[in-house]
Amino acid sequence: MHEDNLFIDTPQALAALCAQLNTSEWIALDTEFIRERTYYPRLCLLQVATPCIVACIDPLALESLDPLLDIVYDTSITKVLHAAYQDLEIFYQLQGEPPRPVFDTQIAASLLGFGEQIGYGSLVQQVLNVQLKKAHSRSDWCARPLDAAQLRYAADDVRYLCSVYSHLRHLLIHKARLDWLTEDLARLCDPDNYQTNAHDAWQRIGGTQQLSPRQLGILRALAAWREQEAASRDLSRKWVLADPVLVDLARMAPRDRAALARVRGLQKYQVERHGSAIIAVIGAALQESESTWPKPPPKRVLSTAQEATVDMLMALVRRQAALHEVSPAALATRSALERLVLGDADVPVLHGWRAQIVGCMLQKMLAGQIRVSLHNGALRIEEAAPSKDQA
């Protein structure tokens, strides 16, 4: 049984909690944060649990989280999270690297047929038959004081995670799939996932299909400037300049304030605050050599025959997913299969356990070495007879 929920807002209480957590082989972990107006997510609450403890830790009331971070970064303690990426991103910003080892119950669930990117509430419902309340999913976790209902909601995010973890881990061991999860978690804990490269920020901006390479060079420079400006002031990117405004600036390339004022969506206060910087960035970008301009990403255009081939490969993926009780998207997405048909061999389905389940079969199908037929409404896979040229 869990102890009553603990609310930790003093150094003494945190030290006492960490003394208990320090003996654990694993801890359930979750965070509540806000980032609507800031560049960096603002950590507002940390929840931890073991089979005997549930605690909510208030980072806004504590000068230091070091005792807890010592636990989180202890490599002998597994950290159990659900949909862990954003939580790990916060810890990366705190410490410069994500904690290890971790167990992501969302990824684990996809390897056991629960569905791709299943939500925490749905997973708790399916595994434990417990219906979680959603009343505080949009709470302002930065506001203080937090009321009892908010704390119960937050605590439930780790309270049931303990039982879900035990259940999923048992199933993975029973099905000999724990190694599968290890491969995927290694990628999740790669620090490169959490590093921001200002030079590449333009690639995350939509609506650029009609821009020329020269205009893309301006966009690249403006996006890098915005990234640095947002980070230095801890502001959301859109609060510096919105994506559509950057695209219009790249297209129009204004060289003075009068031209800036004609850019749709650019507010007067933004011209006053950033006008000189924007003009300077555009001017510098226009001086760059043509050889340095970004090239538009190649359009992935499949012929009708190739689309039909992707459909066949997708059918095979679904067949193997059902056979092995795995989410189809955990094996391969349609986008990955399109890349495969276009000749890209560097897709995840051709590596590791995915290759064993379906990747090698996909390659054989593309090479004409297996054939697919219907038998009693189900796909049948057979080795294709060699052609005369192969005989």
Side-chain angles (χ1 to χ4, degrees):
M1 293 292 292
H2 291 107
E3 296 180 0
D4 291 339
N5 296 346
L6 302 173
F7 183 63
I8 307 298
D9 61 353
T10 68
Q12 295 79 9
L14 181 63
L17 171 67
C18 291
Q20 292 178 279
L21 297 176
N22 194 42
T23 61
S24 303
E25 293 184 3
W26 58 268
I27 59 171
L29 185 63
D30 189 38
T31 65
E32 304 294 349
F33 57 89
I34 57 172
R35 69 183 312 168
E36 286 79 7
R37 293 175 175 267
T38 59
Y39 182 84
Y40 300 104
R42 186 179 184 189
L43 180 60
C44 300
L45 197 68
L46 267 162
Q47 305 100 282
V48 296
T50 69
C52 300
I53 303 168
V54 177
C56 294
I57 301 159
D58 186 359
L60 304 184
L62 294 162
E63 290 187 5
S64 173
L65 292 173
D66 286 350
L68 181 64
L69 293 176
D70 288 343
I71 301 293
V72 171
Y73 281 86
D74 186 335
T75 55
S76 69
I77 299 175
T78 297
K79 278 64 65 173
V80 180
L81 307 101
H82 184 85
Y85 179 86
Q86 288 187 312
D87 302 300
L88 298 183
E89 182 184 16
I90 288 175
F91 288 112
Y92 175 85
Q93 290 164 1
L94 289 173
Q95 295 289 96
E97 61 177 332
R100 302 181 185 87
V102 300
F103 184 106
D104 189 326
T105 53
Q106 186 180 72
I107 296 177
S110 74
L111 304 187
L112 293 166
F114 284 92
E116 186 68 12
Q117 295 187 334
I118 186 172
Y120 175 67
S122 180
L123 185 58
V124 169
Q125 174 71 40
Q126 291 187 45
V127 172
L128 305 177
N129 197 28
V130 173
Q131 185 73 47
L132 295 179
K133 297 180 180 179
K134 301 179 181 179
H136 297 281
S137 60
R138 302 295 297 174
S139 279
D140 180 0
W141 294 104
C142 186
R144 292 296 183 272
L146 297 171
D147 63 34
Q150 285 177 298
L151 292 174
R152 281 195 300 272
Y153 171 89
D156 283 349
D157 281 347
V158 287
R159 184 194 319 279
Y160 298 106
L161 194 54
C162 293
S163 298
V164 168
Y165 164 63
S166 298
H167 181 79
L168 296 184
R169 191 173 189 277
H170 171 77
L171 288 178
L172 288 167
I173 293 172
H174 177 71
K175 293 177 177 286
R177 296 182 182 179
L178 205 54
D179 287 345
W180 295 8
L181 183 65
T182 300
E183 289 182 30
D184 290 357
L185 293 181
R187 285 191 290 272
L188 180 66
C189 291
D190 185 345
D192 289 347
N193 293 329
Y194 307 97
Q195 295 174 359
T196 301
N197 186 339
H199 189 71
D200 296 332
W202 69 278
Q203 297 176 358
R204 299 191 296 272
I205 298 174
T208 64
Q209 296 83 355
Q210 304 304 317
L211 296 184
S212 67
R214 179 175 181 265
Q215 291 168 333
L216 286 176
I218 298 172
L219 180 67
R220 179 177 62 187
L222 286 169
W225 165 81
R226 183 185 67 171
E227 199 76 18
Q228 294 161 353
E229 180 74 8
S232 66
R233 298 172 59 200
D234 194 19
L235 281 178
S236 170
R237 295 172 183 86
K238 66 181 180 182
W239 285 91
V240 178
L241 286 179
D243 285 0
V245 175
L246 287 185
V247 174
D248 283 342
L249 285 168
R251 182 181 293 111
M252 298 173 66
R255 301 300 305 275
D256 54 45
R257 285 179 177 267
L260 272 181
R262 293 192 292 270
V263 175
R264 184 179 178 181
L266 191 61
Q267 303 299 316
K268 182 178 179 181
Y269 78 89
Q270 293 174 315
V271 174
E272 292 174 352
R273 183 179 186 102
H274 303 303
S276 297
I278 293 172
I279 292 168
V281 169
I282 292 173
L286 290 171
Q287 297 300 314
E288 292 184 357
S289 167
E290 182 177 347
S291 63
T292 67
W293 294 348
K295 295 181 180 179
K299 293 182 179 179
R300 190 186 303 165
V301 180
L302 279 74
S303 67
T304 302
Q306 288 173 323
E307 289 282 6
T309 301
V310 174
D311 290 338
M312 289 181 58
L313 298 183
M314 197 73 240
L316 179 56
V317 167
R318 292 194 182 102
R319 174 195 185 266
Q320 292 303 102
L323 185 64
H324 293 274
E325 297 180 326
V326 179
S327 166
L331 289 176
T333 63
R334 185 176 182 88
S335 176
L337 296 182
E338 290 176 355
R339 289 165 50 198
L340 184 61
V341 167
L342 290 172
D344 186 353
D346 188 23
V347 289
V349 72
L350 299 184
H351 304 289
W353 64 270
R354 291 176 175 84
Q356 299 174 30
I357 297 299
V358 72
C360 293
M361 296 177 69
L362 293 172
Q363 289 178 306
K364 286 184 177 181
M365 178 178 284
L366 289 172
Q369 296 172 358
I370 62 175
R371 65 184 181 186
V372 180
S373 60
L374 277 176
H375 180 70
N376 294 332
L379 289 183
R380 172 183 284 179
I381 309 298
E382 299 174 305
E383 293 286 336
S387 65
K388 292 181 180 180
D389 291 339
Q390 294 173 317

